Amino acid sequence: MNILNRICQEYDFDIYSILYNQVIINLYLELDRICNCACSFCRNQSFESVEYNFDKIVDNILKIIPFLKRIDIGGGEPTLRIEDLIRLKKIIGLTVKMKYLSKQYPLLDSMNEQHIIKNIHNFFGLLKEMYLARNIYNRALNRIDFRIFTNGSASLSDYKKLINNGYSLGISRHHYCQNVNQKIFGTAQSLLEGKECLELYLDKEEIVSHKADKYRYNHKIPYLNYREGNVLFIANLYRNGLQSIQDIVSYLKWVTELEDFEHTNKNMKVIFSNLHGKEILGSYCNIPKYDNLCIDERLMDEIEEWFHISENMRPIISSSGYLLKAYRFDIKESHSSINFYVRRYLDKETYEKIWRENSYYQKHIDLSMDPQGTIYTDYSQQKILIP
């Protein structure tokens, strides 16, 4: 059975759901599990070490690249292998380009065989299949968002280098106070300050300009997704850090008070996440003392009451077991506002009900890849898709 059909079977949807963006497929890649920090809630505490294999990582990504919307790269700390990050982006971009130009469309192999046979003598039916396949590769060329999740320990110049090579950044900043943030990371190492993070931010006009660079435009290598900003903050809600509505409000105010916030056109994004979901994520939560870190679930309910739900984005239900909603926070003192997201891990019963019954939510399938290049159909790396 081919790769895409196996994914469809695993999550019980048809291939055309992907073609028409009814279901989005993302990949979370652990570039390596080495890290220079020691977060108490790190998922890698539940995983065994595996051998790092860059070549296999590239080979297996290329097998599924036409179906992906986003590639999230974490670790460990991925910037510890910064040269491999740059190589990865260039190799994938050039290979996809060559496949596109040579009209190699393996998506056709993924179509239901009976459907192909039924339409093979129908000229317009066959044209439709070719158009859909071509559209998938075009999306892979221009619209995949390559995002690095980092603790901010690399230099500002290194992050600018990554941005110039087409990456966007998810910067983990689990508290608005830098001293508390470093304590959460378990390191005395210097981490990016908030104002430094803002230096990396490109507004929409700059991203369009960045994409229109003559060299990149002519070569059609995947670069930034111009529909959103290229930097966001990631913050976990847990008992030793952000654990109340007031903490969340203080964090959002800290972001808006960063120097030159107006330059971002108020589009700097923040994602808050709780630490629940053990029934969904399996080994992700099999961490000693993990339960002691989880916030009271009532805080997640209070967020719904305190903040305005944004109508600009459909809520997302992910195969990783979480619900993602967009909110807006209006700050009266400065007459400004900020958009943020809340990623809420659900209990098994609630998750399965929403996934099965609610058609309003955008469905995301989160594949994952370990450092030796094995791809799994689930985030907790229990079910192998490509060995």
Side-chain angles (χ1 to χ4, degrees):
M1 185 182 297
N2 62 60
I3 294 169
L4 191 54
N5 278 339
R6 287 171 61 192
I7 298 173
C8 292
Q9 185 181 67
E10 175 72 26
Y11 291 101
D12 192 26
F13 59 86
D14 62 74
I15 196 170
Y16 290 96
S17 298
I18 298 174
L19 298 178
Y20 294 110
N21 286 328
Q22 295 170 349
V23 174
I24 302 297
I25 299 180
N26 305 312
L27 175 70
Y28 179 79
L29 162 63
E30 292 178 90
L31 192 64
D32 204 343
R33 288 180 181 157
I34 56 174
C35 192
N36 47 14
C37 291
C39 301
S40 57
F41 45 75
C42 179
R43 71 193 287 265
N44 286 346
Q45 294 180 51
S46 62
F47 291 151
E48 297 179 359
S49 61
V50 294
E51 184 178 350
Y52 174 63
N53 189 332
F54 178 81
D55 292 335
K56 189 177 175 184
I57 286 174
V58 173
D59 289 343
N60 280 348
I61 287 178
L62 291 173
K63 293 176 183 178
I64 62 170
I65 192 74
F67 319 129
L68 299 178
K69 179 67 174 178
R70 193 177 72 240
I71 298 178
D72 293 334
I73 303 175
E77 172 51 41
T79 60
L80 295 177
R81 293 194 178 274
I82 188 168
E83 295 305 321
D84 281 354
L85 282 170
I86 294 172
R87 287 172 57 213
L88 177 73
K89 189 70 163 51
K90 289 181 177 178
I91 292 172
I92 290 176
L94 290 170
T95 305
V96 171
K97 175 197 169 188
M98 294 309 298
K99 284 181 177 290
Y100 176 77
L101 293 178
S102 60
K103 295 181 172 57
Q104 297 179 31
Y105 301 135
L107 181 68
L108 288 175
D109 298 332
S110 299
M111 300 292 185
N112 183 284
E113 290 183 7
Q114 291 184 348
H115 182 78
I116 292 292
I117 292 171
K118 185 169 64 177
N119 286 284
I120 198 70
H121 299 297
N122 181 328
F123 178 72
F124 291 103
L126 187 59
L127 280 182
K128 178 182 178 182
E129 304 297 339
M130 291 296 293
Y131 171 77
L132 290 173
R134 186 176 187 273
N135 186 52
I136 285 289
Y137 268 94
N138 195 41
R139 184 172 72 185
L141 281 163
N142 295 301
R143 293 177 58 192
I144 291 180
D145 184 12
F146 289 76
R147 181 178 297 166
I148 297 169
F149 287 88
T150 173
N151 56 29
S153 59
S155 67
L156 200 59
S157 60
D158 280 343
Y159 285 119
K160 288 181 179 179
K161 184 190 299 184
L162 290 170
I163 288 172
N164 287 333
N165 279 276
Y167 283 105
S168 57
L169 303 175
I171 300 174
S172 294
R173 173 84 189 218
H174 299 300
H175 202 274
Y176 48 88
C177 175
Q178 184 71 322
N179 291 335
V180 177
N181 190 55
Q182 286 183 302
K183 184 177 179 180
I184 291 171
F185 278 112
T187 181
Q189 183 170 340
S190 176
L191 304 175
L192 281 184
E193 297 279 353
K195 292 180 180 180
E196 292 178 307
C197 296
L198 207 62
E199 286 186 44
L200 300 170
Y201 186 90
L202 305 176
D203 64 24
K204 290 186 178 181
E205 290 183 2
E206 289 175 312
I207 291 176
V208 171
S209 175
H210 198 79
K211 286 174 65 68
D213 178 279
K214 183 177 180 180
Y215 175 82
R216 298 186 182 111
Y217 180 80
N218 288 341
H219 287 73
K220 285 187 175 293
I221 299 173
Y223 274 81
L224 291 173
N225 183 340
Y226 60 86
R227 295 181 306 165
E228 34 181 289
N230 66 309
V231 175
L232 56 83
F233 289 117
I234 309 293
N236 281 336
L237 306 175
Y238 86 116
R239 290 185 181 176
N240 295 332
L242 304 175
Q243 55 185 331
S244 68
I245 291 293
Q246 185 54 52
D247 287 336
I248 294 173
V249 169
S250 296
Y251 190 104
L252 295 171
K253 286 183 176 180
W254 165 75
V255 174
T256 62
E257 289 168 0
L258 295 176
E259 184 179 349
D260 200 26
F261 177 72
E262 291 295 325
H263 172 67
T264 68
N265 293 328
K266 301 176 183 177
N267 284 320
M268 176 69 81
K269 302 292 194 305
V270 180
I271 297 180
F272 295 109
S273 176
N274 68 338
L275 297 176
H276 282 285
K278 64 176 65 178
E279 296 92 345
I280 298 293
L281 301 183
S283 64
Y284 172 42
C285 295
N286 293 336
I287 301 174
K289 68 184 180 182
Y290 186 88
D291 288 340
N292 295 329
L293 299 176
C294 295
I295 57 171
D296 193 311
E297 272 293 297
R298 285 178 294 182
L299 175 60
M300 307 306 291
D301 296 327
E302 289 175 4
I303 290 174
E304 296 266 358
E305 300 171 5
W306 273 77
F307 302 103
H308 303 287
I309 294 180
S310 173
E311 298 180 355
N312 296 328
M313 186 194 86
R314 282 173 63 192
I316 293 169
I317 181 73
S318 164
S319 65
S320 296
Y322 64 78
L323 188 64
L324 184 73
K325 290 185 178 180
Y327 295 84
R328 187 187 80 252
F329 176 49
D330 298 318
I331 304 172
K332 296 180 181 179
E333 297 90 338
S334 59
H335 303 288
S336 60
S337 63
I338 183 171
N339 298 317
F340 69 98
Y341 304 90
V342 174
R343 181 166 53 196
R344 181 176 187 174
Y345 286 97
L346 307 170
D347 63 83
K348 186 175 182 178
E349 182 179 353
T350 304
Y351 163 77
E352 290 181 342
K353 182 177 181 180
I354 294 176
W355 182 269
R356 183 175 59 251
E357 300 176 2
N358 200 314
S359 59
Y360 173 67
Y361 293 98
Q362 170 73 68
K363 290 185 178 180
H364 281 211
I365 304 297
D366 291 334
L367 308 179
S368 63
M369 174 183 276
D370 65 25
Q372 65 183 0
T374 303
I375 299 180
Y376 303 84
T377 58
D378 59 326
Y379 187 63
S380 57
Q381 300 185 358
Q382 303 293 305
K383 301 175 183 178
I384 294 177
L385 176 66
I386 304 176

